[in-house]
């Protein structure tokens, strides 16, 4: 059955913004996607190509104007990581990560235990009582990822989560994200404006074009896993980057 | 070491206060003694002090102090509650905002003191008209603070709550209220000062209770030491109630940037 293999399928998805005085803006048109369970897919493209809009539509934060989305999870539970960590400043690290469990009334001992394991995995255990204002940007984003994973949604959507961080922190977090991904087996959809980041992380990279926002090509990244520092020195890594860069133009 | 430094700083700032006020009282004292100023114009500090103590030892002041404190507290609590509720409704429901905003702007810009005679006609000279005046002075700043606070919530926080499928009450109690707190507390501090002003003014105009009544009584009988002692007492009441709000703010906003040491 289709629903068991694919985490998300989109069919002819489109988004049009009506304008009062100008012509309508076509933000997205004919988006057909099949994201497999456990897959890591990145979305890249020039600014204004609608990559964030696409992610928001899949995340249920915006409504498409045409087409449909089919989720494998009947409740379409998903985790969303925003560009800014949006931690609640009055809650400490653990309370922030636990927040979804509180909202969804799922604070079972089992879930609490998994939360502690996730915090451990993200290297946050010793900061669990720190307030967000005491954390660096990279640490905040790690908390935000743990929060998105805390309620065990099968699908994780990430909207330029490391865009505001410096290059070193970003590389470090990329490695950590891959570690978390392989441990938890989540399906990840990852929007970024960094070609290298997309290549380094993904199974497939979705390249989008602008005006109207559409899929130009879906590139399979055939780099071996597990990926680590050596991956960046692989000649194939440079080739793929070059190919993607030319695609975006 | 750091702790010691803090205590020393605290003591020094207290010392500076005492010195500054002491100097002022000394000049006041010398001025009244050297110029033989009549007591009904400006009593000397020691006369004011003994009148101040007298107010308490005679037991005269307690009823009045309680009456004013009671009005301030009740009016402030009701006014703040209304301000918070209205602020929330205004942000959430456009038609309520459209329907009520003109009246609230009218109410806010009208000098509320001018409405006191009307309140007295409507609600009598008892405590009700005073409480209503205080509420009218507290509601608007709190309402404005609540609206500003709710509008300052980052849009991604709203998106997060949507992803988590939180219900309205959860969104309000877990996120919106806390995000509104910093600007809400700024407005509550304005509100509590307004509440004391409202109580005193209302007491000038009606009734035989409260610190405002002591002031008008002392003024009309030329008991100037008692008048100044009464003024001091209203200032102290103002400081005490303001500090209560301030302490609550420090407790509830421990996480805020402004409370960082």
């Amino acid at each position: 059955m289709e629903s068991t293999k694919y985490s998300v399928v989109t069919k002819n998805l489109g988004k049009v913004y009506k304008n009062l005085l100008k012509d309508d803006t076509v933000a997205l048109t004919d988006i057909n996607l099949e994201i497999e369970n456990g897959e890591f897919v990145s979305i890249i493209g020039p600014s204004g190509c609608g990559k964030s809009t696409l992610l928001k539509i899949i995340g249920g934060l915006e409504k498409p104007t045409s087409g449909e989305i089919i989720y494998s999870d009947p409740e379409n539970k998903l985790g969303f990581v925003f560009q800014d960590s949006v931690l609640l400043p009055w809650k400490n690290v653990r309370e922030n990560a636990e927040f979804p469990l509180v909202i969804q009334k799922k604070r079972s001992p089992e879930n609490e235990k998994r939360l502690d394991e996730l915090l451990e995995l993200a290297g946050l255990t010793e900061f669990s009582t720190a307030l967000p204002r005491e954390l660096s940007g990279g640490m905040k984003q790690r908390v935000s990822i743990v929060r998105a994973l805390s309620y065990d949604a099968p699908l994780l959507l990430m909207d330029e989560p490391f865009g505001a961080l410096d290059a070193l922190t970003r590389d470090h977090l990329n490695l950590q994200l891959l570690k978390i991904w392989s441990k938890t087996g989540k399906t990840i959809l990852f929007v970024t404006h960094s070609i290298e980041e997309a290549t380094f992380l993904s199974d497939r990279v979705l390249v989008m074009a602008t005006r109207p926002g559409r899929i130009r090509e879906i590139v399979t990244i055939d780099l071996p896993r597990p990926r680590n520092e050596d991956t960046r020195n692989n000649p194939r890594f440079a080739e793929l980057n070059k190919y993607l860069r030319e695609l975006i133009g | 070491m750091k702790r010691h430094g803090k205590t020393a700083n605290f003591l020094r700032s207290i010392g500076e206060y005492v010195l500054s006020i002491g100097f002022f009282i000394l000049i006041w004292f010398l001025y009244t003694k050297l110029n033989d100023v009549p007591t009904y114009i400006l009593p000397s500090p020691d006369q004011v002090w003994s009148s101040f103590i007298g107010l308490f030892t005679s037991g005269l002041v307690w009823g009045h102090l309680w009456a004013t404190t009671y009005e301030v507290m009740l009016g402030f609590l009701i006014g703040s509650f209304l301000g918070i509720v209205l602020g929330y409704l205004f942000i959430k429901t456009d038609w309520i905002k459209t329907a009520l905003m003109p009246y609230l702007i009218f109410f806010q810009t009208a000098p509320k003191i001018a409405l006191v005679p009307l309140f007295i006609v409507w609600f009598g000279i008892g405590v009700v008209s005073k409480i209503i005046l205080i509420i009218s002075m507290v509601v608007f700043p709190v309402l404005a603070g609540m609206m500003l606070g709710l509008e300052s919530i980052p849009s991604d926080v709203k998106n997060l709550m949507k992803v988590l499928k939180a219900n309205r009450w959860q969104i309000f109690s877990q996120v919106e209220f806390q995000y509104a707190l910093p600007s809400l507390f700024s407005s509550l501090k304005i509100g509590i000062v307004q509440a004391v002003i409202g109580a005193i003014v209302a007491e000038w105009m009606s009734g035989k209770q409260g610190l405002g009544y002591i002031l008008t009584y002392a003024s009309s009988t030329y008991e100037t030491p008692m008048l100044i002692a009464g003024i001091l007492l209203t200032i102290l009441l103002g400081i005490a109630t303001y500090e209560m709000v301030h302490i609550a703010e420090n407790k509830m906003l421990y996480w805020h940037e402004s409370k960082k040491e």
Side-chain angles (χ1 to χ4, degrees), chain A:
Chain A
M1 251 191 68
E2 179 178 82
S3 62
T4 50
K5 189 181 175 202
Y6 296 113
S7 176
V8 191
V9 174
T10 72
K11 286 180 180 162
N12 301 318
L13 214 58
K15 174 84 179 173
V16 178
Y17 292 103
K18 297 254 183 256
N19 293 324
L20 206 56
L21 299 173
K22 294 181 293 175
D23 290 339
D24 294 347
T25 313
V26 181
L28 291 171
T29 182
D30 278 335
I31 305 291
N32 289 295
L33 276 178
E34 290 176 334
I35 312 290
E36 284 175 31
N37 282 320
E39 205 179 7
F40 198 124
V41 177
S42 290
I43 306 173
I44 59 172
S47 46
C49 69
K51 50 189 191 289
S52 280
T53 309
L54 175 57
L55 200 70
K56 286 206 170 89
I57 289 175
I58 295 175
L61 295 173
E62 283 191 38
K63 284 198 166 35
T65 41
S66 58
E68 60 169 332
I69 310 172
I70 301 147
Y71 303 90
S72 67
D73 182 38
E75 296 170 65
N76 69 45
K77 263 196 311 180
L78 47 90
F80 208 112
V81 178
F82 302 90
Q83 179 163 15
D84 184 57
S85 56
V86 291
L87 301 181
L88 303 177
W90 55 89
K91 290 185 184 289
N92 67 30
V93 166
R94 197 178 187 286
E95 289 164 345
N96 262 297
E98 193 191 32
F99 186 59
L101 299 179
V102 175
I103 291 293
Q104 300 175 350
K105 303 190 178 71
K106 288 182 188 156
R107 285 169 71 186
S108 61
E110 181 191 344
N111 284 338
E112 295 288 332
K113 188 167 162 274
R114 206 193 40 250
L115 180 67
D116 285 327
E117 284 164 9
L118 284 167
L119 285 168
E120 178 77 51
L121 195 59
L124 289 164
T125 308
E126 55 183 308
F127 302 102
S128 55
T129 57
L131 286 174
R133 70 175 186 209
E134 298 165 295
L135 304 179
S136 67
M139 267 157 73
K140 281 187 203 168
Q141 208 49 285
R142 263 148 50 191
V143 180
S144 147
I145 294 170
V146 172
R147 177 177 63 192
L149 293 168
S150 64
Y151 47 108
D152 211 19
L155 176 63
L156 184 60
L157 305 178
M158 306 180 83
D159 189 5
E160 297 191 27
F162 309 137
L165 305 176
D166 63 89
L168 280 173
T169 310
R170 186 178 208 161
D171 287 354
H172 179 68
L173 285 181
N174 281 342
L175 281 170
Q176 215 159 18
L177 178 62
L178 284 182
K179 204 169 82 184
I180 292 172
W181 173 64
S182 64
K183 283 248 167 109
T184 55
K186 303 293 177 195
T187 310
I188 298 185
L189 255 179
F190 188 97
V191 168
T192 176
H193 53 247
S194 160
I195 292 169
E196 284 78 10
E197 187 172 58
T199 316
F200 182 75
L201 294 170
S202 316
D203 295 321
R204 287 191 295 161
V205 175
L206 183 70
V207 182
M208 291 183 67
T210 183
R211 254 171 251 151
R214 62 192 187 278
I215 297 172
R216 170 161 285 169
E217 195 172 323
I218 299 177
V219 180
T220 303
I221 306 296
D222 49 8
L223 292 164
R225 293 199 186 266
R227 296 187 190 156
N228 48 41
E229 292 305 335
D230 293 334
T231 308
R232 294 179 199 281
N233 304 323
N234 189 329
R236 184 72 187 135
F237 181 71
E239 264 174 53
L240 284 163
N241 283 336
K242 182 162 177 286
Y243 180 71
L244 288 171
R245 193 164 288 119
E246 283 164 3
L247 261 185
I248 293 173

Side-chain angles (χ1 to χ4, degrees), chain B residues 139-157:
Chain B
V139 161
F140 206 87
V142 174
L143 169 83
M146 185 68 183
M147 285 175 71
L148 181 68
L150 288 174
E151 277 167 349
S152 66
I153 298 173
S155 63
D156 274 347
V157 171

Side-chain angles (χ1 to χ4, degrees), chain B residues 39-226:
Chain B
T39 301
Y40 72 88
I41 300 281
L42 181 65
S44 68
D46 55 306
Q47 285 170 309
V48 171
W49 179 249
S50 56
S51 169
F52 187 79
I53 296 300
L55 280 175
F56 284 94
T57 49
S58 67
L60 179 79
V61 79
W62 294 111
H64 296 291
L65 185 59
W66 167 245
T68 307
T69 312
Y70 172 76
E71 289 159 10
V72 169
M73 293 299 209
L74 195 63
F76 176 71
L77 288 178
I78 299 175
S80 312
F81 179 75
L82 283 178
I84 291 170
V85 171
L86 285 175
Y88 182 79
L89 289 178
F90 276 27
I91 291 286
K92 295 291 165 182
T93 357
D94 258 348
W95 68 266
I96 295 186
K97 188 177 178 177
T98 322
L100 290 182
M101 206 58 176
Y103 299 96
L104 277 152
I105 289 176
F106 162 77
F107 229 85
Q108 175 59 6
T109 44
K112 255 96 41 193
I113 315 300
L115 299 175
V116 178
L118 193 60
F119 288 164
I120 292 172
V121 172
W122 286 348
F123 307 109
I125 56 166
V127 78
V128 178
S129 59
K130 292 173 185 130
I131 301 277
I132 286 178
L133 174 70
I134 296 170
I135 292 172
S136 76
M137 291 180 80
V138 172
V139 161
F140 206 87
V142 174
L143 169 83
M146 185 68 183
M147 285 175 71
L148 181 68
L150 288 174
E151 277 167 349
S152 66
I153 298 173
S155 63
D156 274 347
V157 171
K158 293 178 199 158
N159 284 336
L160 173 71
M161 297 310 276
K162 212 168 161 186
V163 167
L164 297 178
K165 302 186 174 71
N167 62 38
R168 242 167 209 260
W169 169 247
Q170 287 175 324
I171 295 175
F172 175 73
S173 63
Q174 298 281 335
V175 171
E176 288 175 326
F177 189 65
Q178 270 86 347
Y179 263 109
L181 276 180
S183 79
L184 189 59
F185 266 111
S186 308
S187 65
L188 289 177
K189 286 195 277 190
I190 297 170
I192 191 76
V193 173
Q194 293 278 314
V196 175
I197 295 173
I200 301 294
V201 169
E203 287 163 358
W204 284 352
M205 299 207 189
S206 69
K208 299 216 173 296
Q209 277 282 307
L211 297 180
Y213 172 70
I214 292 189
L215 299 186
T216 43
Y217 171 80
S219 163
S220 59
T221 52
Y222 285 93
E223 287 210 41
T224 314
M226 192 204 223

